[in-house]
């Protein structure tokens, strides 16, 4: 799509309340890969204005991001985090870089250096720069291996915030389990308690929320329940698009930009639909309810849009025939009317006379066809699920279109 430079927020906070999703993933997923975080983020980013992603598996990504963007002011903090949270390759490189940094810090101030110290410091500085460049390369490789490149793209666009649940000064491996679980439970509690954000949970977090609500440990207002249903339904319908699992975040960000108005209509449809769902989003039956709504309402609407688009294709072909029907007579009518050599220099009055000779009525079918096509497309684009149709059409592999 290639339109990153023109991307703007979906809506203006000064005019319209932002739809902010807080997506919380459980601690039991296992492994350092961020596949699950990416999956929940793609649909959340497409549906919401802003997403906060909370997951204990983000700590290594945050450490690597710090190295890539390290400054003299953040050097020691970043190196310490890399030594704690980075993989083996990153830890080894970070230790070497940290030692060189400490050796450079040990030199006297610049005006106090003797010539031998200047030469030694210059040599150490060259080694330090080389080590730091190597460490940055290691960090970028780690980010890619984790699957974090796409998350960083969304962060740079200002639409994603990370909540790793592990603080800067802590080491994940040494963090007591009860502390990490306590923070995880706390963010679930805060997500359910109220505010204006839309909670979105993975399966294990949904189970925790359901058990906590049933036991009275968590409380949730009716407004928060409605927002939870809305987020789960909106992202759930997006996830049901056949090609969407293969989309990347860059495509998602471009679709946000291009389909702002259709997204608003889709959100309105989801809001009305989700209010009619009696089960909670963390309930196992919620997915079955969404499936039923998809089959009964969404898929038929998408099929109807597809049918109308195909009709529009026929209309475009018809428009082309009408246009040819106007152009061909013009080619013969001009010489027949003695206007074969007519030029713009002849003046407006002469040209208007020529149009009268040929007969303006000949253009009427083409004009009418074009008007009908434009009206048909406007009607199609105003359908509540046109957003889903166009998203699928955009991300579908070219060979399948």
């Amino acid at each position: 799509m290639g339109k990153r430079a023109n991307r703007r927020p979906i809506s203006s906070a000064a005019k319209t309340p932002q739809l902010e999703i807080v997506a919380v993933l459980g601690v039991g997923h296992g492994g350092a890969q961020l596949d699950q975080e990416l999956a929940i983020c793609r649909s959340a980013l497409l549906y919401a204005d802003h997403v906060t992603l909370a997951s204990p598996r983000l700590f290594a990504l945050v450490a690597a991001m710090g190295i890539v963007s390290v400054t003299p002011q953040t050097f020691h903090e970043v190196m310490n985090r890399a030594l704690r949270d980075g993989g083996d390759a990153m830890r080894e490189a970070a230790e070497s870089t940290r030692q060189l940094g400490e050796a450079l810090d040990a030199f006297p101030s610049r005006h106090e250096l003797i010539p031998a110290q200047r030469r030694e410091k210059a040599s150490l500085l060259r080694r330090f720069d080389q080590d730091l460049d190597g460490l940055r390369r290691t960090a970028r490789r780690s980010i890619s291996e984790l699957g974090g490149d796409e998350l960083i793209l969304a962060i740079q666009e200002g639409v994603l915030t990370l909540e790793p649940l592990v603080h800067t000064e802590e080491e994940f491996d040494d963090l007591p389990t009860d502390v990490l679980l306590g923070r995880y439970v706390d963010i679930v509690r805060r997500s359910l308690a109220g505010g204006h954000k839309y909670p979105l949970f993975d399966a294990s977090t949904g189970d925790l929320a359901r058990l906590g609500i049933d036991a009275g440990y968590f409380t949730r207002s009716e407004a928060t329940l409605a927002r939870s249903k809305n987020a789960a339904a909106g992202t759930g319908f997006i996830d049901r698009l056949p090609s969407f699992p293969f989309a990347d975040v860059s495509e998602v960000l471009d679709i946000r930009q291009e389909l702002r108005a259709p997204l608003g209509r889709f959100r309105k449809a989801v809001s009305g639909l989700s209010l009619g769902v009696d089960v909670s989003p963390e309930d196992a039956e919620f997915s079955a309810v969404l499936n039923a709504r998809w089959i009964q309402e969404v898929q038929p609407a998408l099929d109807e849009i597809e049918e109308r688009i195909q009709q529009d294709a026929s209309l475009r072909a018809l428009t082309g025939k009408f246009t040819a029907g106007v152009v061909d007579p013009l080619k013969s009518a001009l010489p027949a009317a003695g206007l074969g050599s007519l030029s713009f220099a002849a003046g407006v009055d002469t040209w208007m006379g020529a149009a009268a000779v040929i007969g303006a009525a000949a253009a009427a079918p083409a004009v009418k066809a074009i008007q009908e096509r434009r009206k048909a497309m406007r009607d199609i684009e105003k359908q509540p699920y046109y957003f889903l149709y166009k998203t699928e059409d955009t991300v579908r592999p070219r060979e399948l279109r």
Side-chain angles (χ1 to χ4, degrees), residues 104-165:
L104 287 169
D105 289 341
F107 278 90
S109 58
R110 183 174 181 179
H111 69 277
E112 295 177 345
L113 292 173
I114 62 175
Q117 290 176 320
R118 291 180 187 277
R119 291 191 294 272
E120 183 183 359
K121 184 175 182 180
S123 176
L124 280 176
L125 189 57
R126 286 192 294 272
R127 289 176 54 195
F128 174 81
D129 289 340
Q130 292 172 354
D131 271 29
L132 188 56
D133 286 343
L135 181 56
R136 285 196 177 105
R137 288 193 295 272
T138 300
R140 291 190 183 98
R141 186 166 57 250
S142 176
I143 289 171
S144 296
E145 291 171 351
L146 290 169
D149 288 319
E150 294 186 59
L151 295 179
I152 290 177
L153 179 59
I155 293 169
Q156 292 170 339
E157 290 291 329
V159 296
L160 177 64
T161 300
L162 301 184
E163 171 51 73
L165 304 182

Side-chain angles (χ1 to χ4, degrees), residues 383-401:
Q383 299 304 306
Y385 296 113
Y386 175 76
F387 175 77
L388 290 179
Y389 174 86
K390 190 61 178 177
T391 295
E392 169 64 19
D393 183 62
T394 301
V395 301
R396 186 187 302 135
R398 187 173 298 276
E399 61 272 15
L400 299 179
R401 295 179 187 176

